[in-house]
Every structure is written in structure tokens, then in C-alpha cells.
């Protein structure tokens, strides 16, 4: 099916929703347009920072609360589960309440969750704080994509979307450095004060800057679909995170999660107003592209979570030093995001996406060698190479996927994309941190030093990530023929 034929594909929508989908709202012009774009970019940066807030803090969380790494990982997993669940509701929330109101709620959630985290007196309260913060990321990422699509001149959405991916890259680069600095010198709780302040400032700016860009109508939000989505994500992540410790119960939980996910998909087909419109998957280029999003994002999350653990465990780095070491490698992602946006506009997806996967695979293979040898400078160069490869191809996939689907399905396509990103992040976090935690525990119980145990666990999980990326390279060769 071509993008043009997808325009004629119908599904059981109410007359009200179809009329709203085919109408339009004029975006702001001039300075007001640029003010809104800047606030959107700042919102993405803030949400990206909050999502990455705990990436260098897992070892500190485990130490402060006397828990295992896999338990500490729930500050990341729980965040991703709530984010993924919220994302499935965004298209419906935009239709019902408009972009402006939804974004204002996201800032309020950020301030509330951040303040609670700053005063969290035990681990469960810190988890609750992270879950409230996650509402912000779940609302922000898909909503900003929709806003930028509406604010972009026709045919030039890829430029703003690539810049937005670069902004996320800057957030990923800055978060380990700032988080490490705060944790090392001010403690874990102080980490939550910065997003509290930035979110409060954005709340004030957004009050003046934001406009509704899509028509509003009384779209029903199906509670059962929300519950099915939450059950599917949470049980699958819980099972995957614990699979190395309790195999049979974990497999049962993951099987239950797949049943819930299947019921969620089937229910969307029979609702007059689905919670998440799945019609974009009928466009082959979108379906292939989102598969690549899943695979590539798993590789990036592997680096953002396990590279800090490796540095803290093998080289005895403080979170601040680990963050400083990783800032420049991660910044390579943002730099190459900006560059790939220009190349995409001139030459298309070939050869950006296969080349990006090839660079990532080469970077991972080299990282494996130097991680085993514990040669830290060479290790960091390899990490930078891998992030560069990710920056080469991920923005291209994202931009093309959101442009090949009909304009009326932009909100749904953006929600699907952001949902899959969170699923990929959850899966990779649970899988890789769970396996590494098990490896470290077993190695240290057998008498290995902490440095040796962390190096072995990192190398083991890296081989799994490498195999996943090889599959992505093969699929990418098919994808470039579809667009």
C-alpha cells in the first residue's frame, strides 16, 4: 500500500471524529510560531533529561537503599511502563482537550513528581515520584512530534523532527554529566530539584506560547484499553527483569502480557473511537520503519544504562566522573542527528539507515574487545562511534515514518512511534540490566572482584545487543526499498 492509497482506508470512526480529522486549525505565524517551536524543543529537552535522570544513578540507588541492581532498575522500568501507557492515550487526549491543555498538565506532573522525589524518604516513595514524572514524558514526546508536524512548512517536517531528535540527544548527553555531578556532591534526592525548577519555568512560558493546532471533539477514552495497555507493559517488564532469577514464573508473566497486548489490539478494531489508531501500520514503509525503531532504540538504551554501570563498576568512577566521560560520546548522537537531517532532505534514506546500522555494529564489536580488556579511553571512543551510528539513522527513520502516513493520522502515528520507543526502552532495560545484575551477583559469589564481575556482565549482554543490531541491518536493507 502506498501512502496515497492509505488515505482512502477507512475504519469504524464516528462521524464526529471523521469530520474533525479532515478539518484543520491554522497554526500561529511569525514570532508566535517560533516562540511555540522553541518551547516545544525546550519541553523535549526537559522530558529527555527526566527520562535519563537515573541512568547513572542505579548503582547509587542500590547502595543507598540496600537493594540489588535489578530492584534499583525499577526507577527506570517503572518510568518506561507509565510513559508507554500514557502515550497510548495521547492521540485521544489531544482530540478531546487540545495540545495546550495536555502540555500544561504535563508540566504540572513534572513539578509534582520532581518535588516528591526530592523529599522521598524510602525507595517506594521514590518509585512513585518517578511514575508521576513519567506522565510528563508520556505526554510530551508524541505531542511535540504532532506540534512540529503542524508547525512545519509542507514537505519540510523532516528538518524540525531531526532537530528535535538532536535536542533529545543533547538531553541524553547532558543528563549523565549533571546527574553525576549532583549525586556525587549533593546526594540522590537533590537530583530531583533541577527538573522541578525547569518544569515550573516551562509551565509559565507555555501559558503564553502554546496554541491548539488540531481540531477538538468529544473523543471517548476507553478505560479498558488503558488497563489492558498497563497490564501488558507492566507484567511483561516485570517478567523480563526477573527472568534470570525465576524462569518459569517470569515466562508465565510474559505470556500473560502477550495475551493482554493481543486483547488490546483486538479491542481497538472494534471501538468506534479507538484509544490508539493502528491504521498507520497498514502502510508498509511505516511498519518496517517502526520495527527498525524498536531494534535501534534497544541498542541506544543498552549504552545509556550499561555504559555508566561498567565505568562505575570496573573503573570505580563516581557518577559524576562517569557522566563526564560519557557526555562527549553521547553528544555525538546529537551532532549526527543534525547532520543526518540535512542529508535526508537532499538524498533520502539511502544509504543513511544501513550505514547507521553498520557503524553501530562496528562500534559494538570494538566495544566488546576493549570492555574485556578494560581499556577505558578506547572503550569511550567505541561508545562514541556507536552513538554516531545511531544519530545517522534514527532521525531518518522517525522523519520518514511520520511523513509516509496520511496527515490525518499524524497524532496516531506519533503515539505509535513513541509507544514503541518506550517498549524498546523497557525491554532493553529489563533484559540487559537483569542479565548483568545476575552475572555480577554470580561472579562475585564465585570470588571475582567487582571490576571483573562488571566487565564480564557487560560483555555478555553486549553480545546479545550486537545480535539484535545485525537483525536490524538486514531489515534496513528491505526498508530502504519501501520508501
Amino acid at each position: 500500500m502506498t501512502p496515497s492509497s492509505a488515505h482512502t482506508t477507512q475504519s469504524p470512526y464516528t462521524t464526529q471524529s471523521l469530520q474533525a480529522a479532515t478539518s484543520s486549525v491554522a497554526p500561529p505565524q511569525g514570532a508566535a510560531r517560533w516562540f511555540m517551536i522553541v518551547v516545544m524543543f525546550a519541553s523535549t529537552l526537559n522530558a529527555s533529561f527526566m527520562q535519563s535522570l537515573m541512568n547513572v544513578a542505579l548503582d547509587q540507588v542500590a547502595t543507598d537503599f540496600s537493594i540489588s541492581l535489578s530492584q534499583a532498575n525499577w526507577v527506570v522500568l517503572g518510568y518506561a511502563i507509565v510513559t508507554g501507557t500514557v502515550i497510548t492515550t495521547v492521540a485521544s487526549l489531544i482530540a478531546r482537550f487540545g495540545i495546550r491543555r495536555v502540555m500544561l498538565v504535563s508540566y504540572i506532573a513534572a513539578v509534582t513528581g520532581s518535588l516528591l522525589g526530592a523529599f522521598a524518604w524510602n525507595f517506594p516513595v521514590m518509585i512513585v515520584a518517578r511514575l508521576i514524572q513519567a506522565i510528563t514524558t508520556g505526554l510530551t514526546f508524541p505531542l511535540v512530534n504532532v506540534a512540529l508536524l503542524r508547525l512545519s512548512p509542507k514537505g519540510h517536517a523532516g528538518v524540525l523532527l531531526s532537530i528535535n531528535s538532536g535536542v533529545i540527544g543533547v538531553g541524553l548527553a547532558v543528563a549523565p554529566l549533571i546527574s553525576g555531578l549532583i549525586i556525587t556532591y549533593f546526594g540522590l534526592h537533590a537530583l530531583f530539584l533541577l527538573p522541578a525548577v525547569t518544569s515550573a519555568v516551562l509551565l509559565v512560558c507555555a501559558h503564553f506560547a502554546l496554541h491548539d493546532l488540531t481540531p477538538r471533539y468529544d473523543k471517548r477514552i476507553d478505560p479498558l484499553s488503558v488497563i489492558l495497555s498497563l497490564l501488558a507493559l507492566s507484567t511483561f517488564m516485570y517478567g523480563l527483569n526477573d527472568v534470570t532469577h525465576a524462569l518459569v514464573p517470569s515466562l508465565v508473566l510474559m505470556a500473560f502480557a502477550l495475551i493482554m497486548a493481543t486483547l488490546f489490539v483486538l479491542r481497538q478494531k472494534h471501538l468506534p473511537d479507538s484509544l490508539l489508531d493502528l491504521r498507520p501500520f497498514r502502510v508498509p514503509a511505516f511498519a518496517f520503519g517502526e520495527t527498525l525503531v524498536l531494534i535501534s532504540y534497544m541498542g541506544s538504551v543498552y549504552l545509556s544504562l550499561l555504559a555508566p554501570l561498567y565505568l562505575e563498576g570496573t573503573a570505580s568512577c563516581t557518577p559524576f566522573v562517569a557522566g563526564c566521560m560519557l557526555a562527549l560520546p553521547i553528544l555525538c548522537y546529537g551532532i549526527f542527528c543534525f547532520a543526518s537531517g540535512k542529508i535526508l532532505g537532499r538524498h533520502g534514506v539511502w544509504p543513511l539507515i544501513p550505514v547507521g546500522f553498520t557503524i553501530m555494529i562496528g562500534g559494538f564489536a570494538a566495544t566488546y574487545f576493549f570492555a574485556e580488556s578494560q581499556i577505558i579511553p578506547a572503550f569511550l571512543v567505541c561508545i562514541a562511534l556507536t552513538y554516531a551510528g545511531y544519530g545517522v539513522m534514527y532521525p531518518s527513520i522517525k522523519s520518514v515514518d511520520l511523513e509516509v502516513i496520511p496527515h490525518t493520522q499524524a497524532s496516531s502515528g506519533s503515539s505509535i512511534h513513541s509507544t514503541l520507543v518506550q517498549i524498546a526502552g523497557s525491554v532493553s532495560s529489563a533484559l540487559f540490566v537483569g542479565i548483568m545484575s545476575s552475572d555480577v551477583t554470580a561472579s562475585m559469589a564465585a570470588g571475582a572482584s567487582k571490576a571483573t564481575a562488571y566487565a564480564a556482565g557487560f560483555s555478555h549482554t553486549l553480545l546479545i545487543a550486537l545480535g539484535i543490531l545485525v537483525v536490524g541491518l538486514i531489515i534496513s536493507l528491505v526498508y530502504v526499498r519501501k520508501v
Side-chain angles (χ1 to χ4, degrees), residues 225-472:
S225 293
V226 177
I227 293 171
L228 289 172
S229 173
L230 178 61
L231 284 174
L233 282 171
S234 56
T235 53
F236 188 80
M237 291 310 107
Y238 190 92
L240 193 60
N241 191 55
D242 210 39
V243 71
T244 55
H245 302 287
L247 179 61
V248 174
S250 296
L251 292 176
V252 171
L253 280 174
M254 288 189 283
F256 175 79
L258 292 176
I259 294 171
M260 294 298 100
T262 302
L263 292 175
F264 174 85
V265 172
L266 293 175
R267 183 163 180 79
Q268 304 318 296
K269 294 181 178 180
H270 296 93
L271 287 173
D273 264 343
S274 59
L275 182 69
L276 186 62
D277 181 6
L278 301 175
R279 287 181 298 165
F281 279 119
R282 296 178 182 178
V283 182
F286 181 87
F288 272 100
E290 291 306 300
T291 302
L292 294 177
V293 165
L294 274 169
I295 292 171
S296 63
Y297 195 74
M298 286 183 70
S300 74
V301 170
Y302 172 86
L303 292 177
S304 65
L305 285 176
L306 268 68
L309 283 176
Y310 174 87
L311 292 172
E312 292 170 32
T314 60
S316 300
C317 295
T318 65
F320 174 55
V321 172
C324 290
M325 286 183 173
L326 291 171
L328 286 178
I330 298 174
L331 194 59
C332 287
Y333 165 71
I335 293 170
F336 278 86
C337 279
F338 297 128
S340 66
K342 295 182 179 180
I343 297 172
L344 176 67
R346 295 176 183 174
H347 303 290
V349 294
W350 175 263
L352 281 174
I353 296 173
V355 167
F357 270 105
T358 302
I359 294 172
M360 285 190 77
I361 290 169
F364 265 77
T367 302
Y368 177 82
F369 172 78
F370 291 112
E372 280 281 300
S373 307
Q374 298 185 34
I375 304 174
I376 302 302
F379 171 85
L380 293 173
V381 171
C382 296
I383 294 293
L385 179 64
T386 307
Y387 270 118
Y390 184 57
V392 166
M393 54 87 174
Y394 174 71
S396 303
I397 301 172
K398 177 181 174 180
S399 299
V400 170
D401 277 8
L402 295 180
E403 288 195 285
V404 296
I405 58 177
H407 190 65
T408 54
Q409 295 175 18
S411 295
S412 298
S414 178
S415 292
I416 290 170
H417 172 85
S418 297
T419 300
L420 291 178
V421 164
Q422 293 306 313
I423 290 173
S426 300
V427 168
S428 54
S429 175
L431 176 65
F432 297 132
V433 176
I435 292 175
M436 184 169 177
S437 175
S438 179
D439 286 352
V440 168
T441 301
S443 296
M444 293 183 70
S449 66
K450 182 178 180 180
T452 301
Y454 269 66
F458 182 87
S459 298
H460 178 200
T461 52
L462 193 149
L463 287 176
I464 300 172
L466 190 57
I468 292 170
L469 288 176
V470 170
V471 174

Side-chain angles (χ1 to χ4, degrees), residues 142-226:
L143 193 148
V144 168
N145 286 336
V146 173
L148 294 178
L149 283 169
R150 299 283 180 171
L151 291 166
S152 300
K154 188 174 181 180
H156 292 83
V159 176
L160 285 183
L161 290 173
S162 293
I163 293 173
N164 191 51
S165 296
V167 169
I168 293 175
V170 172
L172 292 172
V174 169
L177 193 156
I178 295 178
S179 298
L181 175 64
I182 294 173
I183 292 170
T184 301
Y185 295 104
F186 302 101
L188 188 62
H189 292 80
L191 194 57
F192 290 84
L193 293 177
L194 182 58
V197 174
T198 56
S199 300
V201 172
L202 280 171
L203 177 61
V204 175
C205 294
H207 177 75
F208 300 101
L210 299 190
H211 303 267
D212 284 333
L213 304 173
T214 55
R216 289 170 55 189
Y217 62 97
D218 190 20
K219 184 173 182 179
R220 181 174 176 267
I221 298 175
D222 181 49
L224 181 56
S225 293
V226 177

